[in-house]
Amino acid sequence: MKLIECPRDAMQGWHRSIDTADKVNYLNALLRVGFNTIDFGSFVSPKAIPQMADTREVLSQLDLSATKSRLLAIVANQRGAEEAVVHEEIAYLGYPFSISETFQLRNTNKTIADSLELVDTMQELCIKNSKQLVIYISMGFGNPYGDPYDAAIALEWVEKLVEMDIVTISLADTVGVATPEIITQLFSTLIKAYPVVEFGAHFHSAPHNWEEKVAAAYTEGCRRFDSAIKGIGGCPMAKDELVGNLATERLLEFCLKQHEPLQLDLAALETAQRIADRIFY
C-alpha cells in the first residue's frame, strides 16, 4: 500500500495565508511519519495559487536527512516543469490532465489536445533529469460542467497516456462526484489491461461517503491512495466551494480493517496532527 500525503492540496485553497515557517515545520513533521510520498508544493503561477508562491523557499528548508518519503511537486505548464526538475530533492512531478475541456482550460489555460502535447514534453524533461511524471486524471469520474463523460472516454484518455509510457496514473475525483459503480468499472478495467502501470486514487469526498469510494478502488486492486490529514483541501480551480480531501485518519482506519501492514511512526503522526490543528483553523 502506498500512502501519498497531500499537504499541498490542503494548503493551496486555505482561506488564510500560511506562513512559510509554519509550512516548513508541518512538512518536516510529515517527513518523519513514513508516508511513501509527500505532495509538498507546486511550481505554478503565484497569481493563480498565491498560497504556493513560496514553494522554492519551503523546499530549501526541508530536512530530508532521515526520511524514506519522497517529494512530489505539482506543475501546470512547461515553465513550471523546467523549474521543478532542477531540484534534486524532488522525485516526482505531478501534472493535472483533465478529461473535461472546460476544466483543462480553467485549470491550466490549455485545451486537452495542448495538454497531451505538454505531457510528452514533460515526460522528456523528467527522463532527462531522473524524475518520474505522475499524471492525475482530473475530473476522472465526471464533471459539473456538462462536458461529455463516461467510462469509455476516461479509458480512451488513459490509453493515450499509457502509449506515451506514463507508468503512474492517478484517477482524481476532483469535485467529489465519483460513485462506487464508476470507480469499480474504471479500476477493474485499467488494472487488468495495464499491469505495468501503477494506478492510484485521489478522492475528494465528504465525510459520509469516503469509505465506499476507497473500498471500491481497493477491491479492484488499487494500492495507491492520496489523502490529507484532517481531510482538508480540494481544488480551488474547480468550483467556488472546496470538496474535502480523503482524510488520512480515515484511510488509516480502512487499512487497519484490511490488515494492510503500515510502517508509520504513530508518535510522529500525532505530532503532525497537532501542528495541523494549529495551522488549519
Side-chain angles (χ1 to χ4, degrees):
M1 190 76 133
K2 287 188 178 180
L3 303 182
I4 318 301
E5 180 64 24
C6 301
R8 183 271 316 165
D9 207 347
M11 292 186 289
Q12 68 180 4
W14 194 244
H15 62 273
R16 181 183 59 82
S17 179
I18 302 172
D19 291 340
T20 299
D22 287 335
K23 293 176 184 176
V24 171
N25 189 32
Y26 185 40
L27 288 166
N28 279 328
L30 291 173
L31 285 166
R32 292 189 285 270
V33 176
F35 296 108
N36 178 272
T37 303
I38 306 291
D39 176 354
F40 83 99
S42 58
F43 290 78
V44 297
S45 167
K47 292 181 180 179
I49 309 290
Q51 195 77 262
M52 293 291 103
D54 59 352
T55 288
R56 296 160 194 77
E57 185 179 355
V58 167
L59 178 61
S60 69
Q61 298 178 60
L62 296 183
D63 181 6
L64 303 174
S65 62
T67 183
K68 67 178 184 181
S69 301
R70 305 182 77 185
L71 295 181
L72 180 150
I74 294 295
V75 295
N77 54 36
Q78 183 174 339
R79 185 177 67 178
E82 290 171 344
E83 292 176 359
V85 294
V86 302
H87 295 280
E88 185 179 351
E89 304 91 335
I90 296 173
Y92 304 107
L93 269 61
Y95 177 66
F97 181 87
S98 179
I99 57 175
S100 155
E101 190 81 16
T102 300
F103 185 62
Q104 191 68 71
L105 287 166
R106 185 170 179 171
N107 195 35
T108 65
N109 199 31
K110 293 177 178 61
T111 65
I112 296 177
D114 291 339
S115 186
L116 194 64
E117 290 184 9
L118 178 59
V119 169
D120 194 40
T121 300
M122 287 182 172
Q123 178 76 324
E124 291 181 7
L125 279 169
C126 285
I127 291 171
K128 288 178 181 178
N129 292 275
S130 301
K131 312 296 183 190
Q132 185 172 322
L133 184 60
V134 178
I135 296 296
Y136 289 88
I137 305 290
S138 62
M139 301 293 171
F141 300 96
N143 65 81
Y145 310 116
D147 291 342
Y149 176 84
D150 57 29
I153 290 173
L155 294 171
E156 178 183 349
W157 285 113
V158 170
E159 181 179 3
K160 291 180 184 297
L161 292 166
V162 172
E163 289 173 352
M164 300 167 69
D165 295 325
I166 304 299
V167 296
T168 306
I169 298 174
S170 191
L171 303 180
D173 186 17
T174 317
V175 286
V177 299
T179 64
E181 292 76 19
I182 192 67
I183 294 170
T184 296
Q185 185 177 2
L186 290 179
F187 280 104
S188 64
T189 301
L190 291 171
I191 290 175
K192 292 175 184 175
Y194 306 110
V196 299
V197 177
E198 180 180 46
F199 288 101
H202 183 101
F203 291 135
H204 290 177
S205 182
H208 72 278
N209 64 357
W210 69 268
E211 188 167 11
E212 63 185 24
K213 297 183 180 186
V214 172
Y218 182 88
T219 299
E220 299 305 329
C222 179
R223 294 296 183 271
R224 177 190 175 97
F225 288 89
D226 290 16
S227 65
I229 285 177
K230 297 170 67 70
I232 295 168
C235 181
M237 305 301 287
K239 299 179 71 175
D240 292 335
E241 67 276 9
L242 295 181
V243 181
N245 275 299
L246 169 62
T248 300
E249 293 85 347
R250 303 291 81 78
L251 181 59
L252 296 182
E253 290 174 6
F254 180 87
C255 290
L256 288 174
K257 289 181 183 178
Q258 301 299 325
H259 304 290
E260 282 283 350
L262 298 175
Q263 296 179 338
L264 301 180
D265 185 328
L266 297 182
L269 177 62
E270 290 180 2
T271 297
Q273 288 171 317
R274 287 195 294 270
I275 296 172
D277 285 339
R278 296 197 297 268
I279 291 176
F280 301 108
Y281 65 86

